Amino acid sequence: MKSRLDPIVVFLRVFFNCLKQARSACAILPLLGILIFSGVSLAQENATVDKISSQIESMFPLLEGYVVSVEGEKLILDFRQGQDISKGDRLKLIRYGEDIIHPVSKEKIGRKETDMGEVEVVEVRPDFTIARALAPGTAVQAGDGVRLPFKQIVLLVAPPQIKSQKKIDAQQLQANLQQSLGERARFKVPAFDLGLWMLENDLDLAGLLNTENLARLQKEIAVSFILAPEVKTVKGKTVLGYSLYSAVDGASRKNARLLAERLPEASSPDKNSIGSSRQRRIEDRDNSPFELITKQEFKFTLVDLDVGDVTGDGEKELILINENRVMVYHMQEDGKLKGIAQYKPRDDSLVFISVDVLDLNGNGKDEIFVTCRDRNIRLASFVLEVKDRRFQTVWSDVNRYFRVMRSFGDAPVMLTQTPGFQDPFNGPIETVKFEGGKYQIGEALKLPEKYGLEFILYGFGQGDISNKKQYDTIILDNEFHLRVYSADGRIVYKSEEYYGHDPRLISLGVREGIGGLVREGEPVSYKGRVGLALHNKERFLTLPNNHMLGDSILGHLSIVNSNSLMVQVVGRDGIGKYFETKRQKGYQASYQVVKGKGSGHVVYIGSVEKTGPGSEGISSVVVYRWE
């Protein structure tokens, strides 16, 4: 797979290189007006693509209406012929209540709704629709609402056909269309390389639209429509046209053409270059895909970190923890991290193990989930939320571990697991939900059955690695290898390289007997995050990589000298190395890859360097921009 760079990313990189003294994107935003002509060009380029997305979106409006009258079991709805509705469709029946008023602006922001069940369309007539309630005895009233349930439409973008005198970057144009469509909630654009699949099966567009070939495609990936772009020159003008085809029968649903004042242009090839841009980046570390934003030291031992909007101001904060404090930092315009709040529990016996942030209660602010143990070496975890500019505990004394799982752009999921009796981990990995005004334990994850293998939520992730449209399970195992298991328990991938090697241990509930021998249970090596990032429509694994002194692999006896972050690319042909960051001193306490503004990501890596036995040590946080 080739790397795709958004044009604005290229522009920003050049601009940043010109202003090396600027250490944050925020610090140079006021200067962008100097080069506003470049911004206008890029806006024109994106405007054409966004107009296509809007036109396609208008073809699939959300269908909402009302019950006009009730005649026995027959319901008359205000839908008519020409709307996207047909016999057999099931609609949600809604009873509307009082208006919902915003407490500050006093504006109406909606109405309360009561779910009354479903109705089924019996007949669609020119001016109205006849339906019936599916549940006998449903007390339907005139004025009740009906709504077609929201369904995401899955689209694939075919490689653009270039029939223009201009040199157009077809791959970038395809990526721009995918991004524009994917940013709309109505559409889902999977990370499936349709062009590569067509090449492997020796198909052009006409061959692809053959019903037999479409049936073969549906076995690879469930898709509703295929967008086929085309660039032509008409009377000296560049025209971007497109056709939208059904991915079931190949029928054309829409054809349109737009004048395109600007499209991504292909650059002249570098005669000295060999291979793809990704391959060159692997070989040339100076041309790194990561751009340094800042590096800052702290005089405490970092335990874990995460990133989220805990203040509700729309900006992400960095949350750090040491053994007994939660610290919130904000990145200033000069790239420096400034502490804005901290929290220390009254119980001095609590020792923090990990931190995760997620807006689970849906109020627009991320909660802070702190996993910790008490003096009795049992879990006493808690959840914080910022209310009225103060930390408040919204869930306390929880005998569970917490961990957020983020998987290739999917909605993040809060995971939890219980400890065992004199054993650090025990039981299934479950989800956490917020329902009925409180946190509740949800369903257990489906995990492959492997004799003798106990899954723990640290060093764990799930995502579609093998392109089977199902979740594979990814772990850092006890021997420090990366392993990928399919849903049926087959091992899909095992790395030859060693990852993790965190020198810390989790010995929750473990008691030592005479002579220091473990009486019951054994300590478990702390395992860092396994990140599954969707970046520029491509899938990547990010892994902690602690480098041991003398290359020892003796597990608990390892001495870590330095650390780095390993980035692996996930392709149709497997997992391969993409990039490794520069080494930092000490062991890696934690890292996080979070979505930045635009199409890029921001990468945070926290390291700890011990200065001597029993010392507090020095921690550092390095922040990169990954465009």
Side-chain angles (χ1 to χ4, degrees), residues 466-482:
S466 53
N467 289 294
K468 299 293 185 181
K469 291 183 288 187
Q470 61 186 12
Y471 268 5
D472 302 302
T473 298
I474 305 103
I475 65 167
L476 292 175
D477 67 19
N478 293 334
E479 299 174 349
F480 310 109
H481 294 286
L482 172 68

Side-chain angles (χ1 to χ4, degrees), residues 405 407-408 461-466 470-474 484 532:
M405 180 175 70
S407 179
F408 297 140
Q462 285 192 326
D464 186 4
I465 298 292
S466 53
Q470 61 186 12
Y471 268 5
D472 302 302
T473 298
I474 305 103
V484 180
L532 289 78

Side-chain angles (χ1 to χ4, degrees), residues 286-322:
D286 292 333
N287 190 21
S288 158
F290 284 9
E291 179 183 4
L292 179 67
I293 296 178
T294 190
K295 180 178 180 179
Q296 198 160 323
E297 291 187 346
F298 303 89
K299 292 183 178 180
F300 58 77
T301 299
L302 177 66
V303 171
D304 197 12
L305 64 82
D306 204 352
V307 180
D309 181 12
V310 299
T311 61
D313 63 357
E315 298 291 334
K316 290 186 173 67
E317 290 87 32
L318 172 65
I319 295 84
L320 307 180
I321 63 169
N322 66 358

Side-chain angles (χ1 to χ4, degrees), residues 543-573:
L543 304 163
N545 201 9
N546 286 301
H547 306 278
M548 293 165 297
L549 187 64
D551 293 328
S552 166
I553 57 170
L554 296 179
H556 305 336
L557 301 179
S558 61
I559 300 175
V560 175
N561 186 39
S562 61
N563 74 88
S564 60
L565 184 69
M566 178 61 70
V567 184
Q568 302 272 35
V569 62
V570 180
R572 289 175 57 84
D573 55 346

Side-chain angles (χ1 to χ4, degrees), residues 6 44 84 99 108 117 129 151 155 234 253 295 300 393 416 419 431 452 471 515 518 525 607 616:
D6 188 88
Q44 292 172 343
D84 190 18
D99 292 341
K108 176 183 173 181
T129 290
K151 296 179 181 178
L155 284 165
V234 179
R253 288 290 303 271
K295 180 178 180 179
F300 58 77
T393 305
T416 184
T431 58
Y471 268 5
V518 175
S525 294
S607 304
E616 179 66 1

Side-chain angles (χ1 to χ4, degrees), residues 194-376:
L194 179 60
L196 179 60
W197 187 85
M198 292 168 64
L199 186 63
E200 291 174 345
N201 292 275
D202 194 24
L203 297 175
D204 57 9
L205 181 61
L208 171 66
L209 297 175
N210 178 281
T211 53
E212 292 182 2
N213 291 326
L214 287 174
R216 290 168 57 197
L217 177 64
Q218 294 290 351
K219 291 180 180 179
E220 293 282 340
I221 184 168
V223 58
S224 305
F225 296 96
I226 294 171
L227 177 67
E230 182 183 68
V231 180
K232 287 185 175 181
T233 300
V234 179
K235 296 182 179 180
K237 301 286 187 180
T238 303
V239 175
L240 175 59
Y242 67 91
S243 298
L244 189 67
Y245 298 99
S246 166
V248 177
D249 57 15
S252 175
R253 288 290 303 271
K254 184 177 179 65
N255 295 279
R257 296 192 302 177
L258 292 85
L259 270 178
E261 295 184 20
R262 184 177 178 85
L263 291 176
E265 297 181 5
S267 58
S268 300
D270 184 354
K271 295 181 181 180
N272 298 321
S273 65
I274 300 175
S276 69
S277 58
R278 176 180 291 122
Q279 291 170 329
R280 292 197 300 274
R281 283 203 295 266
I282 293 173
E283 296 164 1
D284 183 5
R285 295 302 178 88
D286 292 333
N287 190 21
S288 158
F290 284 9
E291 179 183 4
L292 179 67
I293 296 178
T294 190
K295 180 178 180 179
Q296 198 160 323
E297 291 187 346
F298 303 89
K299 292 183 178 180
F300 58 77
T301 299
L302 177 66
V303 171
D304 197 12
L305 64 82
D306 204 352
V307 180
D309 181 12
V310 299
T311 61
D313 63 357
E315 298 291 334
K316 290 186 173 67
E317 290 87 32
L318 172 65
I319 295 84
L320 307 180
I321 63 169
N322 66 358
E323 286 193 346
N324 54 19
R325 277 187 300 157
V326 178
M327 295 156 280
V328 181
Y329 287 81
H330 170 72
M331 184 175 289
Q332 302 178 105
E333 291 186 353
D334 62 358
K336 293 290 185 181
L337 296 168
K338 179 182 179 182
I340 58 173
Q342 63 175 297
Y343 171 84
K344 185 175 181 179
R346 293 181 180 178
D347 187 350
D348 291 332
S349 72
L350 296 181
V351 177
F352 294 176
I353 297 173
S354 64
V355 65
D356 295 85
V357 298
L358 181 65
D359 182 14
L360 204 59
N361 60 20
N363 66 354
K365 291 188 294 187
D366 287 332
E367 299 103 279
I368 302 175
F369 291 75
V370 180
T371 301
C372 63
R373 63 174 175 84
D374 62 13
R375 62 170 57 89
N376 297 316

